[in-house]
Amino acid sequence: MSISPYRIVLSGGFGSVTIASDRQAAEASSGLRVDWDSGGVAGWDSAPDAKVSSTERQAGDGAHDVSESDIEYESRVVTVNIAAFGETRDEVLAAMRRLQAAHKQLVTMRVVDAATDTYCERGYVVVKWDEEWHEQTATGTLTAIFVRPHRLSTLPSEGVMVPATGGGGGLVFDAVTSGSDTAHVLHWPLSFGARAIRTGNSCTIYNNGTIPADITITASGYMPGGIAITDTSTGRQLAYSQTVTWSGLTLDSRTRTASVAGVDVSRSLTSRDFPTVPAGGSVTLSLQASGTGTLTATCHDTYI
């Protein structure tokens, strides 16, 4: 049986439910499909509305210039026209309940469209069914609101760094998924020569998306002098002064915070230049630390 080139997977504390692109694919999963005749899916590939403040010129045309940092977007609102169906009315009602179980919970929506596989997280949904009654089908709308409007690639780009006393570089690992299993394999081909990154205390990660990607860095081991991470293209540095232990340290460029076991330790950051990965580009990070352990830098292709 072939897999539909388009599907939506909604997941959360209730489990997961798949909304297929056609009836044949839906019959093999949840009994739910996208109702393309009623409008299909809106708000996923399109950008949310912009929220940019500008001041009109008192003299002359237009408004005063805005900077790129002023360009922001509202929450992402995705509307999916849906159809539930079954051989009996009980099967139709069971399909409807699968979606309704997502109410009052934070959800992740993943959309697979041919080779593009992206998701939005920490959203909430409203499911409404049409009033018309049919024994073997029901139609309605699923509205999902994501206060984090960015679409992220399901597969991340990851780089691993280890403390080193001399210059060096880190291996780059890619996430490869087969069915429900995900493995991290060495990025291939390796590069050699004057411009090659040697194994050790630096790594390069990539963002094939259309807007800058945030980076999450996790560190664990025993690094008694703290750590400093430098963006080699700018020289800007993110530094943490306390000992890194096996409890783990997380540095999040989206929230610009540091945490250990869920506790905020941002006060121990002595330099706060959190790195990001430019749209369609890459960033190389270099680690300065002594001791043992590993740091993993992770980003996702990011879209608005």
Side-chain angles (χ1 to χ4, degrees):
M1 180 182 62
S2 62
I3 298 177
S4 170
Y6 190 101
R7 63 186 184 276
I8 298 170
V9 181
L10 200 68
S11 60
F14 59 94
S16 66
V17 60
T18 298
I19 304 172
S21 64
D22 56 68
R23 178 161 183 155
Q24 181 179 3
E27 286 176 345
S29 55
S30 61
L32 295 162
R33 67 170 178 84
V34 178
D35 187 356
W36 298 106
D37 293 334
S38 297
V41 180
W44 185 258
D45 292 307
S46 302
D49 291 337
K51 50 178 185 180
V52 180
S53 297
S54 60
T55 302
E56 291 295 318
R57 294 180 181 273
Q58 291 185 353
D61 298 326
H64 292 283
D65 292 344
V66 298
S67 64
E68 288 188 355
S69 61
D70 294 327
I71 303 173
E72 298 177 334
Y73 295 86
E74 296 181 358
S75 299
R76 181 179 296 277
V77 179
V78 182
T79 302
V80 184
N81 291 276
I82 49 177
F85 56 89
E87 294 298 322
T88 66
R89 183 62 182 173
D90 285 336
E91 290 181 357
V92 173
L93 293 172
M96 295 167 65
R97 285 193 295 269
R98 291 187 185 99
L99 271 187
Q100 290 166 194
H103 285 137
K104 297 284 285 185
Q105 299 189 52
L106 291 175
V107 302
T108 296
M109 176 179 282
R110 174 188 175 195
V111 176
V112 181
D113 186 357
T116 301
D117 187 345
T118 57
Y119 70 92
C120 285
E121 61 184 347
R122 299 190 67 80
Y124 58 94
V125 300
V126 177
V127 180
K128 293 186 177 182
W129 296 100
D130 297 338
E131 294 180 0
E132 291 186 11
W133 189 95
H134 300 282
E135 184 175 0
Q136 295 182 319
T137 187
T139 57
T141 57
L142 164 70
T143 303
I145 298 92
F146 296 95
V147 295
R148 300 181 185 178
H150 298 161
R151 289 194 297 117
L152 308 176
S153 64
T154 298
L155 296 183
S157 175
E158 292 187 346
V160 177
M161 298 176 284
V162 297
T165 56
L171 298 175
V172 178
F173 290 81
D174 297 322
V176 177
T177 299
S178 176
S180 60
D181 298 323
T182 299
H184 295 97
V185 299
L186 182 63
H187 183 79
W188 190 262
L190 300 176
S191 59
F192 299 91
R195 296 186 179 181
I197 298 175
R198 300 181 302 280
T199 59
N201 68 327
S202 68
C203 68
T204 302
I205 54 178
Y206 301 86
N207 170 25
N208 295 313
T210 57
I211 63 171
D214 293 318
I215 301 174
T216 300
I217 299 170
T218 56
S220 64
Y222 180 67
M223 300 172 222
I227 59 174
I229 301 162
T230 303
D231 180 340
T232 60
S233 65
T234 64
R236 294 180 176 177
Q237 193 171 80
L238 174 63
Y240 177 76
S241 61
Q242 300 300 308
T243 299
V244 175
T245 70
W246 294 105
S247 296
L249 167 70
T250 300
L251 304 170
D252 188 339
S253 68
R254 187 188 69 84
T255 59
R256 301 181 66 81
T257 59
S259 61
V260 173
V263 177
D264 191 300
V265 293
S266 302
R267 64 186 181 279
S268 296
L269 291 172
T270 56
S271 180
R272 294 173 177 256
D273 285 328
F274 283 85
T276 59
V277 188
S282 64
V283 66
T284 298
L285 304 176
S286 177
L287 168 67
Q288 293 82 50
S290 61
T292 60
T294 60
L295 278 79
T296 301
T298 304
C299 75
H300 298 259
D301 300 341
T302 305
Y303 307 85
I304 194 65

